[in-house]
Amino acid sequence: MSRRQQQAISSTAAGLRVLVSGGGIAGPTVAHFLARAGANVLVVEKAPGLQRNGQNVDINGSARRVVAKMGLTDQVIAHNTTEKGTCFVDDGGRAFAEFPIGKGSFTSQMEILRSDLAKILYEHTKKNPNVEFKFDTKIDKVLENNDHGVKVLLSDGSTHAADVLIAADGTGSQVRKMCFDPATIKRRDTGVFVAYWTVPRETNDSDWWAIHQTSNSKTISLRPDPYHSIRVMVTCLPRTEAHRTQWRTASRANRSDQERFLVREIPAGAWQGQRLHDTMLQAPDFYIQAMQQIQMDSWSSGRVVCLGDAAYAPTPLTGMGTPLALMGGYLLAGELSKTWREHPQKAFATYEALYRSFVEETQQYPSIAPKLAHARGPMMRWLTQTAIWSAAKVTARQVATAGEGQKVDEGDKATPTFLVTLADIGTNTVSLFSPIAQTTVAVTSTALFNRPKFSRNLPQIGLAPLLYTAPAPPLTAPSVHAVQIHDINDHVAKLHMAQKLVPEPDFKVRAGRGQDVRDPTVPK
């Protein structure tokens, strides 16, 4: 980036005062881009310092572009969890299905502990003189939220005035509770409960994410980290109201009650059962919670706007919490930097209009998925495990039979890969060719914009991951333009946010509807 471009960026939003509540992922991200645009940003975080707890998160799709724009790709990869792939194990701990990284696995190269990512973002953002972090500080009360600005009372007794207040303080956001009508906020219960904690690594632990399905609606998983320890996750999908009530009560109880409850739920004879009993008592980060999504009628109220999990927590079932936080922070900062002299509601409205449809699609997941993951009874577990075993075999065979010149992409999750040909851009017709199904299906660009409809239009292709790029089908018209899409989710995200997400300020892309795309933090 040239010096002139840097000067243009740094003066874009000079004078804008922003207060951010939350120092996790979304908070530092939006603070970075706002400060880069010249805004003065204060980030308050209720924790006394950076937290070491947290499970694995995956940075995928367009979120990788946001990380790249911050210049942090190499750091993120360097802090990879060391996980080599995903495997499913039986009652004796023997792996019966393996999905190596990048080959149908739930693991990707940009797999990182949430705490490591938060530290990277914090260390990078605090270097900007326009950003200040205050730990062990939270917003006790919002005193004013009107046309003139926003004013809050902080927990240290001081008051702080700003032009914009961004609530990036997680699923249980206190700022959201203070500023939004509860009737406009919905907590969508997935029915799944989860317990997390960290245990010391043992000699027989592997570098794979090991997942075990019990026959009583639970899963137990162990994941390696770079610190010679193992991250434990136990999930449960209660099948009776009485059992749901027990888990719901436990999720709100004190830690000692939670530990006693979970010891009863996990038999000592289960896979890793006794180890789990022994380690949860000493773990510094043990907790139980319900998996819930946050859905809001509107993400903003006056000069207050919600971001990340505070606005649209998708739950771990989608694997998109961190990507949504990164992309949302970048998008919100871009809109505020463009219209900072005006009332922030203008920027908030554009941010929501551009991003809401993508968020809502991301929050969708097949309702049967939790039931398949949490088998009820030996027969259902056998059926599920047989399907997983078959998928592993098919995946291995697809990779093994990839012909010469066909490339396996090690860097991305095995999302469906298609060869996309735009026969005539003006007609908005897209042909999707599956190298495995040997099928070409024509869909409209409208269908491509709508992922649920897209999936329904292509059931025969969407069933299995396509792990390599095959030669294009014959091109008969000179006007045909071939485009390879290695990550369909990334492409859909680009379509939804085509006006906002580009690698560099001077990089232009012709968007789907004919607009030029620019970096949101650079004046046109």
Side-chain angles (χ1 to χ4, degrees):
M1 186 183 301
S2 70
R3 185 174 181 181
R4 183 178 179 182
Q5 287 173 326
Q6 290 176 335
Q7 291 174 342
I9 289 174
S10 63
S11 62
T12 301
L16 181 66
R17 303 168 301 162
V18 180
L19 174 61
V20 179
S21 175
I25 305 301
T29 300
V30 72
H32 165 84
F33 287 107
L34 283 171
R36 176 180 151 183
N40 294 301
V41 186
L42 171 63
V43 182
V44 295
E45 167 57 49
K46 66 179 181 180
L50 295 175
Q51 300 296 292
R52 292 302 309 162
N53 60 340
Q55 296 288 311
N56 298 43
V57 296
D58 177 23
I59 303 173
N60 55 43
S62 293
R64 296 187 180 186
R65 305 177 69 194
V66 177
V67 171
K69 286 186 62 62
M70 299 176 76
L72 299 177
T73 299
D74 290 343
Q75 286 192 54
V76 169
I77 292 176
H79 285 79
N80 183 274
T81 60
T82 71
E83 196 170 279
K84 294 182 178 179
T86 307
C87 68
F88 290 80
V89 301
D90 61 17
D91 292 337
R94 295 175 294 272
F96 63 85
E98 294 183 344
F99 299 87
I101 185 171
K103 300 175 183 176
S105 176
F106 296 105
T107 304
S108 76
Q109 280 190 338
M110 295 193 77
E111 200 87 31
I112 185 172
L113 291 178
R114 186 185 185 280
S115 55
D116 284 346
L117 178 60
K119 182 178 180 180
I120 291 171
L121 293 173
Y122 164 72
E123 295 287 352
H124 185 67
T125 302
K126 75 173 184 179
K127 296 176 183 177
N128 192 307
N130 289 349
V131 181
E132 177 186 0
F133 282 85
K134 277 190 175 182
F135 288 96
D136 203 17
T137 306
K138 62 184 179 68
I139 296 173
D140 278 347
K141 189 175 183 180
V142 178
L143 302 173
E144 296 177 10
N145 176 20
N146 52 42
D147 289 340
H148 305 292
V150 62
K151 187 176 181 181
V152 303
L153 174 65
L154 298 178
S155 57
D156 62 7
S158 65
T159 59
H160 187 84
D163 300 304
V164 174
L165 170 57
I166 299 176
D169 46 348
T171 306
S173 171
Q174 293 301 308
V175 174
R176 187 186 65 217
K177 292 178 182 178
M178 297 177 197
C179 300
F180 291 82
D181 183 350
T184 66
I185 304 165
K186 178 184 177 183
R187 285 180 174 268
R188 181 189 175 192
D189 195 346
T190 65
V192 178
F193 294 83
V194 58
Y196 299 107
W197 69 100
T198 305
V199 306
R201 189 182 180 102
E202 297 182 351
T203 55
N204 58 344
D205 287 323
S206 73
D207 292 328
W208 290 65
W209 177 11
I211 302 175
H212 174 68
Q213 283 185 308
T214 72
S215 58
N216 61 344
S217 303
K218 295 183 183 68
T219 68
I220 300 170
S221 75
L222 306 183
R223 307 190 76 168
D225 68 20
Y227 303 106
H228 203 70
S229 54
I230 298 291
R231 307 286 166 143
V232 175
M233 181 173 66
V234 176
T235 63
C236 180
L237 177 64
R239 298 306 180 95
T240 66
E241 187 56 41
H243 200 198
R244 274 190 291 272
T245 300
Q246 292 173 6
W247 273 91
R248 191 178 300 113
T249 301
S251 68
R252 300 168 181 169
N254 58 50
R255 172 163 175 169
S256 59
D257 288 342
Q258 289 183 338
E259 290 172 351
R260 285 193 291 270
F261 171 75
L262 203 57
V263 166
R264 294 195 302 267
E265 286 287 304
I266 305 174
W271 178 70
Q272 299 285 338
Q274 190 59 55
R275 180 186 183 187
L276 301 183
H277 289 184
D278 296 340
T279 55
M280 76 173 71
L281 304 177
Q282 289 80 36
D285 55 351
F286 174 87
Y287 66 97
I288 297 176
Q289 68 177 21
M291 283 192 187
Q292 294 180 325
Q293 290 186 342
I294 297 297
Q295 299 174 343
M296 303 178 67
D297 290 352
S298 174
W299 297 342
S300 64
S301 174
R303 291 177 176 267
V304 181
V305 63
C306 293
L307 175 67
D309 282 353
Y312 34 76
T315 78
L317 292 175
T318 66
M320 285 293 291
T322 295
L324 286 182
L326 290 166
M327 291 187 287
Y330 178 48
L331 187 61
L332 176 59
E335 293 304 320
L336 284 169
S337 69
K338 290 197 307 183
T339 61
W340 70 275
R341 288 185 175 88
E342 304 176 57
H343 195 288
Q345 268 296 323
K346 182 175 181 179
F348 297 165
T350 307
Y351 153 65
E352 186 164 348
L354 288 168
Y355 204 37
R356 178 176 277 276
S357 61
F358 180 69
V359 166
E360 289 178 348
E361 288 178 16
T362 300
Q363 288 187 319
Q364 297 177 15
Y365 60 88
S367 58
I368 196 173
K371 295 180 180 179
L372 292 176
H374 300 83
R376 185 181 185 181
M379 178 58 71
M380 181 56 69
R381 184 174 73 153
W382 180 84
L383 290 171
T384 304
Q385 291 181 343
T386 300
I388 293 169
W389 175 84
S390 301
K393 294 299 181 184
V394 170
T395 299
R397 185 161 55 250
Q398 288 172 353
V399 174
T401 57
E404 184 178 352
Q406 296 171 337
K407 181 182 177 182
V408 176
D409 188 347
E410 297 284 348
D412 287 320
K413 283 187 174 182
T415 48
T417 300
F418 303 99
L419 187 73
V420 178
T421 60
L422 307 182
D424 184 348
I425 296 177
T427 64
N428 292 326
T429 300
V430 179
S431 298
L432 299 180
F433 174 72
S434 163
I436 291 180
Q438 293 295 312
T439 303
T440 301
V441 181
V443 296
T444 64
S445 60
T446 303
L448 195 58
F449 267 88
N450 188 307
R451 196 159 40 178
K453 182 189 291 185
F454 176 79
S455 300
R456 289 197 298 272
N457 286 345
L458 300 168
Q460 74 277 31
I461 294 178
L463 286 176
L466 309 182
L467 304 176
Y468 57 90
T469 302
L475 306 180
T476 55
S479 62
V480 170
H481 175 60
V483 182
Q484 292 182 348
I485 304 300
H486 290 285
D487 184 340
I488 201 69
N489 292 326
D490 186 36
H491 184 59
V492 173
K494 290 174 188 175
L495 289 174
H496 276 286
M497 297 181 291
Q499 291 181 313
K500 302 302 158 195
L501 296 180
V502 293
E504 294 296 340
D506 57 349
F507 179 74
K508 294 183 180 180
V509 177
R510 183 61 59 181
R513 298 183 182 179
Q515 305 99 328
D516 280 337
V517 182
R518 289 179 179 268
D519 188 296
T521 58
V522 178
K524 292 184 178 180

